[in-house]
Amino acid sequence: MRKWLLASLSALAITAGASLTAPAPASAQWAIEKAAAPFKGTQINVIFLDRPGYRAVIKLLPEFEKKTGIKVNYEIVPYENTREKQVLNFNSKGDLTMALVDLVWIGEFAENGWIEPIEKFSGDASITDPNLNLKGFFPLLLDAFGSWGGKVYGLPFDNYSGLLFYNQCMLKAAGFDKPPATWDEVLNVYGPKLTDPAKKQYAFALQSLRGETQSADSFMRVLWPFGGSLLDKNFKSNLLSKESQAGLKFRQDLMKIMPPGVAAYDHSEAVNALAQGQVAMITEWSAFYGTLTDPKTSKLGDCLGVAPEPAGPAGRLPALGGFSLAVASQATDAQKKASWIFIQWATSEEIARAYVEAGGVSGRTSIYEQPDIKAKYKFVEPMVASWQKGVPEFRPRFPAWPAISEIVAEFGSKMMLGEVSTEEGAKQIGARMEDILKKEGYYDGKKALRQ
C-alpha cells in the first residue's frame, strides 16, 4: 500500500511538472509578489493552535503580508475543539479558506470533499512556486499528513515525532551514561534504579489522560513496537492478538515506575514532571523541545537529553503526529489561489530556517542537513531518525477514527486504572469498533479498506 502511494506521489510530482521536484533556473525564480499581485487585499482564514509551530509562523506573517498584500486571518483554538469547529464551518459553508488537517482527519476531510487536491493548483504556473519541490518533504510526512487515496491534499505543517526526552543528570547519578535503547530496558534496567516512591521520584511518565491523549499518545504507543496493531488486514480488531496484548500488558507493568496519578496526565503534566525533576524520562512530541529548554518553564538546563523512542520486539516504531495545511473547497476562487500561495510559503524551503529558529518544526529535509541547526537543536537528529521509519496509520486516518478514539480512550483508561483487564478491555473496544466500521460500510465493500 505504502509503495503504491509513494509511487503515486512521484507520478503526481511529474505530472505537475518537473519544475516542482527540481530547482528552477535563475531566470525563472519564483516571484511571490508577482504571483500574489492579482489577489492583493484578499483575506484568507485559518485556524491555528496555541503551540510553538503556530507561534513561529505568526512571527513570520508580517513578512508574507507585506510581500503579497494578502491578509491572513487566524483564530487560535484549543486542539480539542479544532476538528469540531472546522467540521461545523465546512458543513455550514462558513468562512474558512484553509483547513488545518490533523494526521487522523485527512480521510474524513478528503472523503467529504472539504479540501481540494493540490493538483488543482500545482499545474498553474502563475500561482505555483517552480521550486515547490514535493520531494523535498520527508516522504513519510507527505504520505501520512497530506495524502489520501493516492492524491496529495495538503502540505506538511507542524509535524511531530515521538521522542525520548530524559534527564541526563538523573541517569548519570543512577549509573547510566546513555538513555535506554529498548522498552525492556526502560522497565527492567533503568526503572528500578530511577524510581523511589518515598522521595516521589519516578523513572518514567506516559501522558494518558482520557481523550485523544489516552488513545493516541498512550494506547497506540505500546501497540506497534510490540508487533501489535488496532486492526488486522481485514479491518477486524487485532487487539486480542499475542503481540497487541504484550504491548498493553507491558503498559500495565510500567505503572510501577510511573507516578501514581499518571492516568490523568495530559501533555503539560508529563512535560512538567520531567522539567521539574520529578521523573527521569518521558516519551513526548518533538514540539515540546522548546518548553523543556526554556528556563522559564524548565529546570533541566544542560541536563536535558533527547533520543529516539525506545525499540520494542518489533523494532523502533515511534509515535507519529502533526498536521498539513490544505485549501478549503468552500472558498472563492480568489481565496483558494491566495490560500495556495500562503500554504506554499508557510511550508517552503525558503523560510524553513527562519521557521525552525522561531520555534517551528519544518517538514523539509534540507534544513536538518545544516550543521549549525543539528548542533543547536538536540531534537533534530533523533527526530529525523524517527522519520526514516514509521507507520502513517500509527492512528487510523479514516473518517471513523474520532468515534473509535473515544472508545479506545474509555477502555484504555479503564485498563490503566485496573477497572478491566487488558483482555476484557480489548474485547469491549473490538466489539464497539467493529460495529462502527460495519455501519460505515467497510465490511460490505462500500468503502475501501484504507486507513
Side-chain angles (χ1 to χ4, degrees):
M1 175 68 182
R2 288 189 60 206
K3 288 182 179 178
W4 172 82
L5 181 51
L6 289 172
S8 298
L9 296 179
S10 297
L12 175 60
I14 292 170
T15 57
S19 60
L20 296 186
T21 60
S27 60
Q29 286 302 303
W30 169 246
I32 194 170
E33 296 90 343
K34 182 178 179 182
F39 314 108
K40 186 175 182 180
T42 300
Q43 299 203 20
I44 57 178
N45 308 310
V46 67
I47 283 177
F48 283 161
L49 305 180
D50 186 17
R51 293 183 179 178
Y54 305 85
R55 292 193 288 271
V57 83
I58 287 169
K59 288 181 184 176
L60 303 179
L61 271 183
E63 172 193 341
F64 173 81
E65 293 180 336
K66 182 178 179 181
K67 281 185 176 181
T68 64
I70 296 169
K71 174 63 177 174
V72 182
N73 300 313
Y74 59 87
E75 180 182 1
I76 297 176
V77 175
Y79 171 80
E80 294 76 15
N81 305 116
T82 300
R83 174 187 163 272
E84 180 183 12
K85 194 173 183 70
Q86 291 187 105
V87 169
L88 289 171
N89 193 281
F90 296 143
N91 281 328
S92 63
K93 303 298 181 185
D95 60 352
L96 288 176
T97 69
M98 287 176 278
L100 178 65
V101 190
D102 192 354
L103 167 77
V104 289
W105 304 337
I106 186 70
E108 178 184 21
F109 283 30
E111 289 186 8
N112 279 292
W114 295 332
I115 53 179
E116 301 276 23
I118 71 166
E119 63 188 23
K120 288 197 172 184
F121 312 103
S122 59
D124 186 344
S126 70
I127 56 169
T128 298
D129 185 349
N131 291 316
L132 172 57
N133 190 16
L134 293 180
K135 289 185 178 180
F137 290 105
F138 285 89
L140 177 64
L141 302 188
L142 193 61
D143 181 355
F145 300 127
S147 306
W148 189 252
K151 291 186 177 183
V152 179
Y153 285 86
L155 300 186
F157 177 78
D158 189 36
N159 313 119
Y160 314 140
S161 171
L163 298 174
L164 179 72
F165 292 101
Y166 62 97
N167 187 322
Q168 296 181 103
C169 300
M170 288 178 71
L171 265 62
K172 185 176 181 180
F176 302 110
D177 60 1
K178 59 184 179 181
T182 67
W183 279 112
D184 181 71
E185 287 182 343
V186 171
L187 175 63
N188 297 309
V189 180
Y190 288 68
K193 291 188 176 182
L194 290 164
T195 301
D196 187 347
K199 295 181 179 178
K200 296 184 178 180
Q201 295 274 344
Y202 297 91
F204 185 68
L206 180 62
Q207 61 280 6
S208 301
L209 180 69
R210 181 169 168 174
E212 191 77 6
T213 302
Q214 165 64 221
S215 59
D217 297 276
S218 184
F219 191 95
M220 297 301 292
R221 189 175 243 113
V222 297
L223 291 185
W224 293 101
F226 286 82
S229 62
L230 189 66
L231 299 169
D232 65 18
K233 64 180 181 180
N234 298 314
F235 268 39
K236 296 291 186 176
S237 174
N238 191 45
L239 293 178
L240 284 170
S241 70
K242 181 179 70 174
E243 294 81 5
S244 294
Q245 283 294 306
L248 293 170
K249 289 181 186 298
F250 178 83
R251 187 175 67 154
Q252 295 305 110
D253 292 337
L254 277 177
M255 297 290 282
K256 64 189 178 186
I257 65 166
M258 297 198 290
V262 74
Y265 276 31
D266 204 350
H267 299 282
S268 57
E269 287 81 12
V271 170
N272 189 62
L274 178 66
Q276 304 307 317
Q278 297 160 3
V279 301
M281 300 176 287
I282 61 173
T283 44
E284 258 295 4
W285 298 114
S286 47
F288 288 101
Y289 178 79
T291 305
L292 291 166
T293 55
D294 187 345
K296 296 177 183 177
T297 53
S298 175
K299 295 179 180 178
L300 286 169
D302 293 337
C303 289
L304 176 63
V306 191
E309 283 196 19
R316 179 175 287 118
L317 294 170
L320 186 65
F323 299 82
S324 65
L325 287 172
V327 176
S329 301
Q330 67 184 12
T332 67
D333 185 62
Q335 287 175 325
K336 287 179 182 180
K337 291 178 178 179
S339 295
W340 171 239
I341 291 171
F342 170 76
I343 290 169
Q344 292 175 88
W345 171 83
T347 63
S348 67
E349 292 174 332
E350 180 185 356
I351 73 158
R353 172 175 285 273
Y355 181 61
V356 169
E357 290 179 339
V361 177
S362 174
R364 295 286 186 170
T365 59
S366 58
I367 185 61
Y368 302 118
E369 295 166 357
Q370 305 303 313
D372 63 322
I373 294 293
K374 289 193 286 187
K376 184 175 180 181
Y377 302 102
K378 292 181 181 179
F379 74 91
V380 164
E381 292 195 68
M383 181 184 70
V384 169
S386 296
W387 282 347
Q388 301 309 314
K389 185 177 182 182
V391 283
E393 61 274 15
F394 177 83
R395 291 170 284 167
R397 299 175 299 148
F398 50 33
W401 171 250
I404 291 172
S405 176
E406 291 183 12
I407 297 166
V408 174
E410 178 184 353
F411 287 95
S413 295
K414 288 181 176 180
M415 287 182 201
M416 289 190 77
L417 296 170
E419 296 175 7
V420 298
S421 67
T422 60
E423 292 88 355
E424 180 58 26
K427 288 178 184 177
Q428 295 290 341
I429 293 170
R432 288 164 169 76
M433 176 171 63
E434 289 178 8
D435 185 55
I436 289 172
L437 294 175
K438 181 180 180 180
K439 291 176 180 176
E440 290 280 327
Y442 286 102
Y443 299 147
D444 59 9
K446 291 180 181 177
K447 283 193 175 184
L449 303 185
R450 181 185 299 133
Q451 58 169 320

